[in-house]
Amino acid sequence: MVTVPAFAAGEDRGATWWSHVQTLASDAYEGRAAGTPGYDRAADYVIAQFGSLGLKPAGTEGYKQPIAFIRQTIIAQGSSAALIGAGGERALSIPADLIISGSGGPVPEALDTPLVFAGYGLHLPEAGHDDFAGLDVKGKIVVVISGGPSHISGALKSHARSERSGWLAKMGALGLIQLVTPKQVEIPWSRRMALASQPALFIKDAALRDTRRPFLNAQIDPARSALLFAGSGRDFAGIAGAADEAAPVPSFPLAQRLKVKLAAERTDLSSSNIVGVMPGSDPRLAKEYVVLSAHLDGYGVGTPIGGDSIYNGALDNASGVASLIEIARTLRDGPVRSKRSILFAIVTAEEKGLLGSRYFARKPTVPAEAIVANLNFDMALPIFPLTSVTPIGYDQSTLGKEAEAVSQQMNLPITPDPFPDRNVFIRSDQYSFILEGVPALFFKYGFKAGTREAEVEKAWRANVYHSPRDDVNQPVMPDQSVKLNDYVAAVALRVANAPARPAWNRDSFFRRFAR
């Protein structure tokens, strides 16, 4: 039976957890953008906490693992875009109509390129689905729409979307425009525009990027998406309706060209992952590691919303860092020792494309083959009672069985991801470990679609997520975070003390990445 570690009776563990969140999400840390002084001050706070808990330094420079990045900022005033078709040229405003991503690598300086629509944009021939089959993408910009066939798992669709830019670049495509159906919009376009002014990052080492040469990644305002289909004989509203129903969506050439000129500023900077280790108690198993991860970075200082320009990132993700600090305390003080070592990786640049975790997963500070599992904490939302859990990825490896065992003991049943087309599977740091063959879980509060909890969560994403409103003044339930922290601590302990290391399920697509 699993023993759930606990503090001494009477200690207000929720208040302790919340105090870390209040510190890390305070204005003094200026939103913790990777590569800024505010992030560095937050990193120093985490290092002090690790030291006080007795975690040993496990970075390349003490607790730190510095990473060289390039910061890229799109200069809207020096950039332009237009659609060119039979009806002439229609200007698109950057970023009001078209948001250009500065992540992934250098943006192209100029393009004048045909457009081709590739349906859902999923290259999954092994699953019997390939939106690119028979489509010529060389020298073109590919347009895709959100969603995908319902018979393909959310994890697999998410993976295909993550791999899309790299695969298209290898096929000779010059760029990608992603459309979202009006019904699938998660963050209002006005908020996306506010974030568009922020600088992007990409890893300086080109070998760790998705594409080796300039490649355009862009999004268009859902209210303007129909412009791309002018003259094609196809109706965007009909295509969007089919995508909302997970129905077949065709692929076909578009009658428009996109002409863009992009101005960008690029500078070098550095930001560090913070890594500490709790050594295992077993002489043999202590050489293996269960990695617990959470990202420290946020969006920093940006476009003011309601007069506030600091994107404090309280629940995304000061809360996750606070949880790992308190899980470390719980495991240290608990009655059961961990046989394997537990590595606490507080990573940078998650908001810029999972860059810190990608770097750590590919260049770990311990032997790569010794990492047996990753358990990731990101934006768990204590805004309604915790009655079930959703460990993203639980159906892919034996980690799911470990999570199920703890669920039974703690009366926290597992609820499947209610919105798999949100791409949650690839939107946090556990995905970086999966791509390196490490079984991983990403823990979320469980809820079902159509419930009050779903509405509360949807409203939080629409109004608070990635905005200055994600601060310590919002209502939270610290006692519910303690419950999830204990759940993750128990899963970590169970994995760390199991005789065998976790393994991919035989039917998991991601088994192919195993070393």
Side-chain angles (χ1 to χ4, degrees), residues 443-464:
F443 295 92
K444 308 289 283 184
Y445 276 52
F447 61 90
K448 296 180 179 179
T451 61
R452 177 186 174 277
E453 289 81 4
E455 290 303 311
V456 170
E457 196 260 4
K458 180 180 179 181
W460 189 90
R461 286 179 177 270
N463 299 310
V464 180

Side-chain angles (χ1 to χ4, degrees), residues 233-463:
R234 309 277 184 156
D235 176 51
F236 171 70
I239 290 172
D244 288 335
E245 299 297 325
V249 174
S251 298
F252 51 88
L254 294 169
Q256 305 284 317
R257 300 175 63 87
L258 180 68
K259 182 178 180 180
V260 295
K261 182 182 73 172
L262 299 177
E265 292 180 349
R266 287 183 280 272
T267 56
D268 290 349
L269 61 78
S270 176
S271 188
S272 295
N273 294 330
I274 308 302
V275 191
V277 65
M278 182 179 292
S281 62
D282 183 272
R284 180 178 62 86
L285 292 179
K287 297 177 182 178
E288 297 181 345
Y289 299 85
V290 177
V291 179
L292 272 63
S293 58
H295 75 89
L296 178 60
D297 66 301
Y299 273 91
V301 179
T303 302
I305 296 177
D308 188 356
S309 61
I310 298 179
Y311 289 60
N312 302 84
L315 299 187
D316 183 20
N317 183 42
S319 67
V321 176
S323 288
L324 258 62
I325 291 170
E326 289 310 299
I327 287 171
R329 190 189 312 276
T330 298
L331 292 174
R332 183 197 67 178
D333 296 343
V336 179
R337 307 303 300 165
S338 169
K339 294 181 180 180
R340 289 183 174 87
S341 297
I342 298 184
L343 199 74
F344 291 83
I346 307 299
V347 297
T348 188
E350 187 269 356
E351 300 291 7
K352 305 301 185 182
L354 316 185
L355 301 182
S357 59
R358 174 185 297 195
Y359 191 91
F360 180 85
R362 296 191 186 182
K363 293 178 175 290
T365 58
V366 297
E369 65 277 6
I371 298 176
V372 305
N374 169 243
L375 306 178
N376 185 57
F377 230 112
D378 183 9
M379 207 176 83
L381 297 178
I383 55 178
F384 50 80
L386 180 69
T387 58
S388 67
V389 292
T390 298
I392 301 295
Y394 76 96
D395 54 348
Q396 300 296 322
S397 75
T398 58
L399 289 177
K401 297 296 184 184
E402 308 293 2
E404 287 175 356
V406 178
S407 286
Q408 290 177 7
Q409 184 196 8
M410 296 186 67
N411 194 28
L412 289 173
I414 289 177
T415 301
D417 182 3
F419 304 115
D421 279 329
R422 272 186 183 168
N423 288 338
V424 172
F425 187 80
I426 64 167
R427 286 172 61 176
S428 194
D429 293 303
Q430 90 292 341
Y431 182 62
S432 296
F433 290 88
I434 287 171
L435 292 179
E436 299 306 309
V438 178
L441 297 176
F442 167 26
F443 295 92
K444 308 289 283 184
Y445 276 52
F447 61 90
K448 296 180 179 179
T451 61
R452 177 186 174 277
E453 289 81 4
E455 290 303 311
V456 170
E457 196 260 4
K458 180 180 179 181
W460 189 90
R461 286 179 177 270
N463 299 310

Side-chain angles (χ1 to χ4, degrees), residues 33-36 68-75 99-107 194-204 209 215 217 219 263-271 297-299 301 349-355:
T36 66
F69 293 106
I70 296 176
R71 179 172 60 197
Q72 178 168 249
T73 304
I74 306 299
I75 309 301
I99 293 176
I100 307 296
S101 171
S103 63
V107 295
L195 294 170
S197 63
Q198 292 240 342
L201 296 182
F202 53 89
I203 297 175
K204 190 168 186 177
R209 302 178 198 160
F215 187 86
N217 269 297
Q219 303 171 58
E265 292 180 349
R266 287 183 280 272
T267 56
D268 290 349
L269 61 78
S270 176
S271 188
D297 66 301
Y299 273 91
V301 179
E350 187 269 356
E351 300 291 7
K352 305 301 185 182
L354 316 185
L355 301 182

Side-chain angles (χ1 to χ4, degrees), residues 183-207:
K183 286 187 177 181
Q184 295 180 43
V185 168
E186 182 177 321
I187 300 177
W189 187 255
S190 60
R191 291 253 316 284
R192 290 196 178 276
M193 284 176 56
L195 294 170
S197 63
Q198 292 240 342
L201 296 182
F202 53 89
I203 297 175
K204 190 168 186 177
D205 183 350

